[in-house]
Amino acid sequence: MDYVVKFAQTHESFRLAEIEALSVVEGVDLEVLEYTNKSPFCLVRLPSEEDARKLVRRSILAQSIYELWGSGPTLDHVHQSTKSSMMDHWDKYKNVSFKFILDSYQGARSSADRLKIIESFAYLPFEGPIRMSQPDETFTLFELWPFNSVPLGIQDPTRLFLGRLIGNSTRETVLKFDLKKRGYISTTSMDAELSLITANIALAGPGKLFYDPFVGTGSFPIACACFGAVSWGSDIDGRSIRGEGGSKSLRGNFSQYGLEKGLGDVFSADLINTPIRRDRRIWDGIICDPPYGVREGLRVLGLRDPEKTPWLIEKGKRNHSLPDFVPPKKPYSFLTMLDDILAFAADTLVDSGRLSFWMPTANDEDQELPVPTHPSLELVVVCVQKFNKWSRRLITYRRISDVDVSPKALAEYQDRLVISSIGTTVDDLNPFRAGYFKKFALDI
């Protein structure tokens, strides 16, 4: 059966990626028939109504899903389509309460025209009462109009769909986790909507273990816990995890939402100096928003030259367990960090486990950073959030089974030179930071 998914008008490049990921989570056989980022409507083919409800029930970007009764470039085509393909279904709704809605995207109709269009479906043999509040069935005629139809005086839409409402999503979940209502956040806390979308694309769900190596105040683990996963996290700065203690802490955020059981544990570490063993494949998913190193250079635990500062090593041995101890850090290459994220994921993800992480990039082909690769990770999807002068991408990979990894590609990867940048300044170590400020300077 064919269905119409209606999406929210936001994060267009993420919409299809999320709904395809949810088909994997729910075990639904999904076939996408028609979709474009310029339209909020997506035509899909699914085995049953129950599968349709399952597909959107935890979606953040989909609003609802409808059984497709008819479609076409004009209203007459919709009538013909409805009569030819759905006549056998009409009797099932003969005596139920119902209502009709006209939903115009990028266009407008007068009240008289809306009523006239709705009344044109009077041939449907519905004898039940019309109820505008909580009817048994809701039928919606969607109209897709060209951009700027109203100011341009365009008279007709270009595409119409008639659908019977099957189910709604839980998009209102975004309001529950709104950062404005959260007890503890920082300047780098990920937006609640994007956190939930990331968790969906990474296939977070009950019985799964997730990890965020740049956990901060816990936006991603909270989103994963919302969908039933248990999450762990770490951060190079333990102060961001602890906060002021109590409600003003990462754990306090979990308590605020009643998600304490969804938090495994958190600890202070960085990606390469971590207590997590690299010889065990334990994570079902790794999701993170690594630091971009724009405001200040990237850092990793350690000393640039231990021989010149041996007293810092001794200080660390004596004071490492004190709550106010801040371990020394050394400069870290942005490209090395990306490489380390993929290598860590390849070592610790289960087969078909997903890595989803955010990566900045410029809106300029000359400055755009390539998507990093690893022979054990298959690229699933790249979604882009555009800003004024730069963008960031949500890049998602799937861990390939070892038997499917190319031995030649793996050998070449392991034998390659370690990624490094010539120089010692923050711009030398971070090409995105250098391009970011260079582009801004040129635009001023």
Side-chain angles (χ1 to χ4, degrees), residues 96-365:
V96 301
S97 62
F98 68 97
K99 72 174 178 179
F100 262 79
I101 299 173
L102 182 62
D103 187 334
S104 300
Y105 173 67
Q106 298 184 153
R109 296 278 195 183
S110 67
S111 297
D113 286 343
R114 296 169 71 90
L115 181 60
K116 182 179 179 181
I117 290 173
I118 291 174
E119 288 179 341
S120 70
F121 289 92
Y123 59 84
L124 293 172
F126 297 164
E127 299 176 3
I130 298 174
R131 288 183 186 162
M132 302 311 293
S133 176
Q134 297 183 334
D136 294 324
E137 300 292 344
T138 298
F139 295 88
T140 303
L141 180 66
F142 296 105
E143 294 184 328
L144 180 61
W145 293 68
F147 180 68
N148 270 350
S149 292
V150 175
L152 293 176
I154 297 175
Q155 298 297 312
D156 298 299
T158 56
R159 192 76 184 276
L160 299 93
F161 308 96
L162 175 64
R164 180 178 68 89
L165 178 63
I166 300 298
N168 294 307
S169 71
T170 54
R171 181 165 169 74
E172 66 275 7
T173 305
V174 174
L175 300 177
K176 176 182 177 181
F177 294 98
D178 189 349
L179 292 184
K180 295 178 182 178
K181 304 174 185 177
R182 189 171 298 177
Y184 175 57
I185 63 173
S186 70
T187 56
T188 58
S189 294
M190 178 61 76
D191 167 74
E193 182 176 32
L194 290 173
S195 296
L196 292 164
I197 293 168
T198 303
N200 269 338
I201 293 176
L203 311 183
K208 293 187 176 182
L209 306 181
F210 270 67
Y211 174 61
D212 181 355
F214 307 94
V215 71
T217 61
S219 291
F220 287 126
I222 288 171
C224 293
C226 168
F227 295 127
V230 178
S231 295
W232 275 256
S234 64
D235 200 286
I236 191 172
D237 189 350
R239 294 171 296 182
S240 65
I241 297 173
R242 296 188 295 270
E244 300 175 12
S247 62
K248 298 291 185 179
S249 66
L250 183 149
R251 291 184 181 275
N253 285 340
F254 273 80
S255 298
Q256 176 181 342
Y257 301 116
L259 295 174
E260 295 93 333
K261 293 182 180 179
L263 178 61
D265 205 351
V266 286
F267 52 92
S268 180
D270 65 35
L271 194 63
I272 58 176
N273 298 286
T274 175
I276 296 176
R277 293 178 57 172
R278 301 287 287 265
D279 59 349
R280 291 183 179 178
R281 308 264 296 279
I282 59 174
W283 304 123
D284 294 290
I286 299 172
I287 59 176
C288 59
D289 182 25
Y292 305 156
V294 173
R295 288 174 295 180
E296 58 184 12
L298 296 172
R299 294 287 187 271
V300 68
L301 295 174
L303 299 172
R304 186 196 297 265
D305 190 345
E307 294 183 1
K308 292 185 178 180
T309 54
W311 63 87
L312 289 176
I313 299 176
E314 294 302 319
K315 182 179 179 181
K317 291 179 180 179
R318 295 193 308 270
N319 302 331
H320 70 276
S321 61
L322 298 178
D324 59 347
F325 174 71
V326 178
K329 303 175 181 66
K330 62 181 180 181
Y332 191 30
S333 164
F334 180 79
L335 297 180
T336 300
M337 178 186 68
L338 298 180
D339 191 58
D340 286 340
I341 291 173
L342 268 63
F344 179 85
D347 289 344
T348 60
L349 280 174
V350 300
D351 286 352
S352 296
R354 289 197 174 187
L355 164 67
S356 291
F357 76 95
W358 289 84
M359 174 182 166
T361 187
N363 292 337
D364 187 332
E365 293 183 1

Side-chain angles (χ1 to χ4, degrees), residues 58-88:
R58 56 175 265 185
S59 175
I60 301 302
L61 293 177
Q63 293 179 330
S64 48
I65 189 167
Y66 299 77
E67 182 183 61
L68 181 63
W69 276 41
S71 66
T74 67
L75 184 59
D76 287 340
H77 282 88
V78 173
H79 288 313
Q80 294 171 11
S81 177
T82 302
K83 292 175 182 178
S84 63
S85 63
M86 298 301 296
M87 187 175 291
D88 294 342

